[in-house]
Amino acid sequence: DAGVIQSPRHEVTEMGQEVTLRCKPISGHDYLFWYRQTMMRGLELLIYFNNNVPIDDSGMPEDRFSAKMPNASFSTLKIQPSEPRDSAVYFCASSFILGTGKEQYFGPGTRLTVT
Amino acid sequence: RKEVEQDPGPFNVPEGATVAFNCTYSNSASQSFFWYRQDCRKEPKLLMSVYSSGNEDGRFTAQLNRASQYISLLIRDSKLSDSATYLCVVNIGDAGGTSYGKLTFGQGTILTVHP
């Protein structure tokens, strides 16, 4: 398996622009997670899906952030409009749960810089 | 209070040293426990799960104390390749024992092993 795939790997954009991050989870996994990592705040869970349905979006910073999962093999995280404080590494992860929490497999991340 | 707390370090140790990391968690309903490793500018990856009876994987030993809500990781005979950030991770279920896919990550402990 190719693992979790994220694109783009790097994104540099200007303040006010729309940014779309993409994720393809591991085939067969039924959970998908979006995280944001900064030096100051560490790894923060933004939102997660189970069987394509958003379960908990309490970590989404504000209305500028939105996430969708139209099918089991694709998810997007959109920031509109972007701001410099959104600069971070955004990770997508997926897992297959049976009972208690299991290992999450992370993608390589998208390094976002908003100028 | 953070849900998962770790000493951020950094820990700087010579090759061959033994080093221990500690972690505390605040939610007594926590179900599963893990240590993840994150190399510089890479994604987090599972190092090992942590079981109530304690468990060992080569040079790595993990311990869990549910009464104290405390988790530890011991690394023996440190190698240069052990240099990384070590993340304490907890799966928080509900009071009824239902476990969710969501994991909560500590801020991480930075380890540098030098020659």
Side-chain angles (χ1 to χ4, degrees):
Chain A
D1 200 316
V4 176
I5 299 171
Q6 289 187 248
S7 65
R9 295 291 305 277
H10 300 273
E11 177 79 34
V12 180
T13 191
E14 291 184 350
M15 178 176 172
Q17 296 298 306
E18 177 180 296
V19 175
T20 299
L21 311 181
R22 298 173 176 80
C23 175
K24 176 178 167 55
I26 293 172
S27 177
H29 282 191
D30 54 355
Y31 277 82
L32 184 139
F33 307 82
W34 282 102
Y35 292 90
R36 176 173 67 178
Q37 188 173 39
T38 61
M39 288 292 292
M40 290 298 295
R41 300 174 68 90
L43 197 61
E44 301 175 278
L45 177 65
L46 300 177
I47 184 172
Y48 75 98
F49 297 82
N50 178 220
N51 292 320
N52 313 337
V53 175
I55 302 301
D56 182 353
D57 65 354
S58 60
M60 296 285 262
E62 48 199 270
D63 291 346
R64 298 184 298 105
F65 285 69
S66 62
K68 294 182 179 179
M69 192 165 185
N71 57 62
S73 59
F74 183 67
S75 177
T76 59
L77 177 68
K78 186 175 292 187
I79 308 172
Q80 165 65 12
S82 57
E83 296 182 2
R85 61 191 168 123
D86 301 330
S87 297
V89 180
Y90 291 81
F91 288 106
C92 175
S94 69
S95 67
F96 178 53
I97 301 294
L98 281 178
T100 56
K102 297 296 184 188
E103 177 180 4
Q104 290 184 12
Y105 295 81
F106 283 74
T110 295
R111 188 169 297 274
L112 173 65
T113 303
V114 183
T115 60
Chain B
R1 182 184 175 188
K2 292 181 181 177
E3 291 185 59
V4 181
E5 294 205 57
Q6 296 180 246
D7 179 349
F11 286 66
N12 292 293
V13 303
E15 275 186 290
T18 295
V19 61
F21 305 139
N22 303 319
C23 168
T24 58
Y25 60 95
S26 60
N27 193 323
S28 59
S30 298
Q31 301 278 331
S32 306
F33 310 89
F34 309 89
W35 284 99
Y36 275 65
R37 170 192 168 129
Q38 185 172 22
D39 293 315
C40 187
R41 301 180 75 84
K42 298 286 190 180
E43 71 272 21
K45 292 183 179 179
L46 179 67
L47 176 65
M48 60 195 300
S49 299
V50 186
Y51 303 117
S52 296
S53 55
N55 50 297
E56 192 173 300
D57 182 1
R59 298 180 293 107
F60 298 83
T61 300
Q63 300 252 329
L64 168 65
N65 184 323
R66 285 188 184 268
S68 302
Q69 295 180 198
Y70 171 92
I71 306 162
S72 66
L73 177 69
L74 183 76
I75 305 175
R76 293 183 301 278
D77 189 23
S78 300
K79 311 291 185 191
L80 296 177
S81 57
D82 293 334
S83 297
T85 297
Y86 290 83
L87 301 162
C88 178
V89 185
V90 173
N91 170 240
I92 296 173
D94 67 13
T98 299
S99 177
Y100 306 108
K102 176 180 175 179
L103 298 179
T104 300
F105 287 75
Q107 285 277 90
T109 299
I110 299 170
L111 171 66
T112 301
V113 181
H114 57 81

